[in-house]
Structures are given as structure tokens and as C-alpha cells.
Amino acid sequence: MEKKFMTGNEAIAEAAIQAGCQHFFGYPITPQSEIPEYMSKRLPEIGGIYLQAESEVAAINMLFGAAGAGVRVMTSSSSPGISLMQEGISYIAGAQLPCVIVNIMRGGPGLGGIQPSQSDYFQATKGGGHGDYHMLVLAPHTVQEAVSLTMEAFDLADTYRNPVMILGDGYMGQMMEPVEFYKTSSPNLPPKDWALTGAKGRSANLVKSLYLDPEALEKHNLEINRKIQKMRKDEVRVENYQTDDAEVIIAAYGTVARICKTAIKVLRDKGIKAGMIRPITVFPFPYNDFEKLADKMRKFLVVEMSLGQMIEDVKLGLCGKAQISFYGRTGGMVPSYDEIVTETEKLVKEVG
Amino acid sequence: MEKTVEKPLYTNVIMAGFGGQGLMFIGKLLAYSSMKTGKRVTWIPSYGPEMRGGTANCTVVISDEEIGSPVITSPQALVVMNNPSLEVFEPRLQSSGMLFLNSSLITRRVSRKDIEIVKIPANDIAMEIGEKRTANMVMLGAYIARTRVVSKKDIFEGLKELFGKKIRFLDVNMRAFEDGMKYSQH
């Protein structure tokens, strides 16, 4: 298959289209504006709908409506825009509707900056919006992986009737790499018999998140929770990178993970056996894989483009069995592999 | 040139200049042409409030193996087309790295003694051809002549594909590239 040379943003947009997404609602914001730009050009060509909303609040509610009608739909934004969408995401999760939301993270809090960041980890994995729900959150570390995970995100959303987030950062969006678009075989997806498609010849469907009777709401939340438990059981994805003989393990995801791969090469050239565990799903988090490694290894370095968010999940996974150290840059600063090498060497020398 | 034992290729370069000088484009062209020869590549731009007249840079990594970091602290080579870029990036170049500088515009003195310096009057060469906007291609020609990351043919094929509808500018860009190659070799 011929390789295409694309930015992460363009590749995510094209992957969505190839996964059957014909509806996109969004609002431009750096560093992800190439996604709506690409969609605005391509979707009309294939008979789809591209609509630039008046705000992120409007965009996510347009997603709510389109998802309720049973079509594949996506939006994308960056940190401040995703914050504006939280109410809508909670409603979509509450109404059990499938959709894909892309967050190409930039530095926060507030309006922050436009350079890459991973400081929306808590928001993405722990809720963000109100209520008992979780999104499934996928964190690619190359443009090719962004393509395959975006395609899969639509299947996962339909399978679980739940919003799925692609969690990238500014570099993931802006970087160009060769990509191939493989035709993936979709799993057997449940029929969308809940969708609002016109009730002619059948009883009416109702899509809602309002349950005033607490007993009914508890029952509803338990139903959502059953799906979340199934995600935790079946959907965890993780990469173990050169961990077999490692004396120290780096934990990282997304763009930072690939910078760590270079750091690991440098460390190994210096005779330090470093490896990496890379969560591909940050929700559900690969707790068990961390625990398994903790049985063999005592030293872990968590590296993030934040001041320490994923580290809390790493701690849960390691169950107090290992020594954890942290290195993070924030505000749009990206850790270099030299810095990661230095931090790893420090940890290796420390007496545990 | 004598061929020694084939080591897997790994190389990187930062290209920097004013917005509008076409550094982003030659970076993309280098990456794209390398991809077409079967290499792994990454291209990452400085993105932000840059515009025509501001500074812009991109980092290209080319490798036979999986590319880890697309962000490079100390590049093996540097292509710089204006003074502010030289000021920012000169200290970051690897020891014994190659510095390609546009001597038509750069008046700043290079202070490093541990690097190889290739001075190309890119704007003057481009003016001689009659298309001042091809100074970027002159610089790329010089870079390719000295590093041989890919061949001239690979670059020309890449150029044709990336140019698409702007095909009428193809000849002048190819000439600029060739003149850059020639200049850097003497």
C-alpha cells in the first residue's frame, strides 16, 4: 500500500472518514485546527456534513444530537475547548451514545499556551464532566498509531455506546510521518436499535440522561458501570518496550513515550538496562501490567508533560511494591531525551 | 567514494529562517523524498504565532529504524537562513556537526570552532537564476551535496509530487537545487 505523508491532525481526520464518520462538528483552536480544516474539505466531497459550530458548547451538543440519530460522529478540540465540552460529554455518556472526541492537548490551566502538553490526563481519565461515567481514552504515540486507534475508536464507541477520546498533544497533531490506511475489519457491532431514526412501524425510542427517580437513576448508573467494568476487563492496551531484562522502567504515554524510546537507546548504549511500559489505553489503565512488572522490578520513573497526573495511576498499579520517581515538564515545554537519561541515571544510582 | 560496511542510516537536521523563506517546505521535501526511498521519517515544525517575517524552524529525522524522539536537542546538521536562527541554533549543533548558512543574509560571525561550516550565498544564487524565492532550494541542494542523505533524483521526484499544480515553477526550483549542489562542492 502506498504510504502517505501526513500530519497527525490530517491523519486522524482521514482515519475517521475511512472509519465511516460522515459528520463532524467543531470549532477551530490551535494546535488541532487542521482536523476541522481537513474535514471541511473532505466531508462535502463524500456527501457528509461538516459544520463549524458557534462554540465548543454548541459543537458537543450537535454531536449529542447526531449520535442520538445513530450516525458516526466526531469532534476535535484542544484543552480549553475540551473543558467547554464537559457538560455535553457527561450528557452523552449519560444517554449512552457513541461518539469520538479528539483532544490535541496544549498547556493549561486557563487559556494557557499553544505548545504540547499532557496536563488534561485527569480530565480525560477521571471524568471531567459530572456523574458516574468514564470515557474510553486512547493515547497514540505515532501518527500511524493515531490512524489505527482513531479507526478503532468508532468501533469501541458503538460497542459500548459510550464516548471515546483520542488523547494526543500538539506535537502529535503537528508532526508529519508516513502513514498507511489499512482497511480494518470491524467487529460484530450491536444494531443501533435505540437510535432516533423515526418511529414509523416500531415503538418510539427515547434518548435521555434525566432520571428523577433515584432508584431508576441508580439502576441506570449500574448499567453504565457494567460497561465500564467490561472495558476494564477487555479493552486494556499496553506496550512493554524492552522490559524483559530491564533494571529500571520508564512509564510514559503519547509523544513523551517515543522520546523515552530514544532515551532508552542512549541508556542501553551506556550500559544501563532501561525499559518502558507505555499505556495505550489510559482509561482503562493497565494496572495489572504495572503490578506484574513491580514483582520483578523495583525502580520506576514516570515521565509526563505535566506536573504529575498519570503517576497517580502508576502508584495504584504498583501497589507500593516499587520505588517511584517522577520527571515532568509543563506549560508547553517538552522533555528531551537527554533530560530523561539524566533522571534515569539518578534513579539507578539511588539506593532504594 | 568508497563504500564501507553498511551501517543503518540515522540522521537529523534542523532548518531555520524567516517565515516565508521556505524552510518548512524544504524540510518536508527532504522528509517526503526520503520516505519514498523507504526510510522512516519524521518532520516536526515549530508552530505558533509565527508568520511571514517571523522565525520558523522544522526538525527532520531520517532513519532505517524506528524513530523515537522527533524532537532533537543537538542536531547533526543545521540549515540556517537568517541571523536570529543562527543565534538560536548555533550553540545546539553537535560537535563536528555541519552548519549550512545562507551567507547572503547572515552577517553574524560563527563562533564555534568544532563544527564544519558551509557558507552558501543562497539569495545571490537565486537572484542569478531570476527567482529569488528559490533560495531555500539552493540551501537544500548544498545540504544534499554534502550529506548525500538521498540523491538528486529522489529530491526531484519528490518535488514533482509535492508541487502538483505549481508545476510551472519546477524547472527553476530544480536549477536552484543544482546550483546549490555545485556551489557547495567547490
Side-chain angles (χ1 to χ4, degrees), chain A residues 190-329:
Chain A
K192 293 185 173 179
D193 50 12
W194 44 264
L196 307 179
T197 53
K200 202 173 179 187
R202 61 163 170 81
S203 56
N205 284 337
L206 179 60
V207 166
K208 63 164 187 171
S209 66
L210 177 68
Y211 295 83
L212 288 175
D213 171 8
E215 256 180 64
L217 182 54
E218 183 180 58
K219 193 167 159 269
H220 174 68
N221 286 347
L222 287 171
E223 189 182 322
I224 292 174
N225 194 248
R226 269 192 294 278
K227 299 191 303 187
I228 290 170
Q229 295 313 322
K230 192 171 182 316
M231 286 177 204
R232 290 187 202 265
K233 192 168 129 305
D234 295 342
E235 305 302 344
V236 171
R237 276 152 232 211
V238 66
E239 181 190 11
N240 279 292
Y241 182 77
Q242 302 188 15
T243 51
D244 284 348
D245 65 342
E247 55 186 304
V248 55
I249 299 284
I250 299 172
Y253 71 98
T255 294
V256 176
R258 64 184 299 168
I259 298 172
C260 289
K261 284 186 176 177
T262 298
I264 287 166
K265 191 174 183 303
V266 176
L267 285 161
R268 283 184 173 260
D269 286 346
K270 290 179 157 193
I272 295 168
K273 286 181 185 143
M276 177 170 63
I277 178 165
R278 176 174 73 91
I280 298 168
T281 50
V282 284
F283 187 91
F285 193 79
Y287 294 112
N288 292 339
D289 299 84
F290 274 87
E291 197 180 352
K292 265 183 244 160
L293 279 177
D295 291 334
K296 294 190 291 181
M297 226 86 59
R298 288 182 30 249
K299 291 185 173 185
F300 285 76
L301 173 69
V302 182
V303 187
E304 298 180 59
M305 284 193 279
S306 79
L307 290 176
Q309 302 197 7
M310 184 178 77
I311 189 172
E312 298 197 0
D313 281 324
V314 174
K315 281 180 181 164
L316 284 174
L318 294 177
C319 305
K321 290 179 190 170
Q323 186 186 349
I324 305 175
S325 151
F326 177 77
Y327 184 68
R329 298 296 301 265

Side-chain angles (χ1 to χ4, degrees), chain A residues 47-127:
Chain A
I49 298 289
Y50 166 84
L51 203 152
Q52 182 169 317
E54 68 269 35
S55 72
E56 289 85 350
V57 177
I60 194 69
N61 283 291
M62 290 174 185
L63 237 71
F64 190 8
V71 299
R72 287 197 154 178
V73 62
M74 183 168 96
T75 189
S76 65
S77 190
S78 180
S79 309
I82 297 289
S83 288
L84 282 169
M85 291 183 183
Q86 292 305 323
E87 181 196 48
I89 295 172
S90 169
Y91 277 56
I92 291 168
Q96 301 199 67
L97 295 177
C99 67
V100 176
I101 299 154
V102 182
N103 183 4
I104 301 296
M105 291 180 280
R106 54 186 253 182
L111 209 45
I114 59 174
Q115 298 301 318
S117 167
Q118 295 181 321
S119 52
D120 305 351
Y121 180 92
F122 284 151
Q123 185 193 57
T125 60
K126 310 294 175 196

Side-chain angles (χ1 to χ4, degrees), chain A residues 2-5 7 30-31 105 114-116 141-142 169-171 174-179 239 241 255 258-259 261-262 265 334 336-338, chain B residues 10 12 27-29 31-32 35-36 38-49 65-74 94 161-162:
Chain A
E2 205 196 344
K3 284 203 167 99
K4 291 204 160 84
F5 190 50
T7 65
T30 305
M105 291 180 280
I114 59 174
Q115 298 301 318
H141 82 315
T142 63
D169 63 79
Y171 273 169
Q174 297 293 321
M175 177 174 54
M176 288 181 97
E177 268 191 301
V179 280
E239 181 190 11
Y241 182 77
T255 294
R258 64 184 299 168
I259 298 172
K261 284 186 176 177
T262 298
K265 191 174 183 303
V334 179
S336 72
Y337 50 82
D338 309 335
Chain B
Y10 175 87
N12 57 51
K28 260 184 221 176
L29 175 58
Y32 183 80
M35 174 188 90
K36 285 287 178 178
K39 307 288 180 212
R40 316 257 189 134
V41 295
T42 58
W43 173 89
I44 201 162
S46 61
Y47 67 90
E65 292 168 346
E66 180 184 359
I67 295 174
S69 181
V71 191
I72 304 298
T73 317
S74 309
Q94 266 182 30
E161 285 172 49
L162 286 190

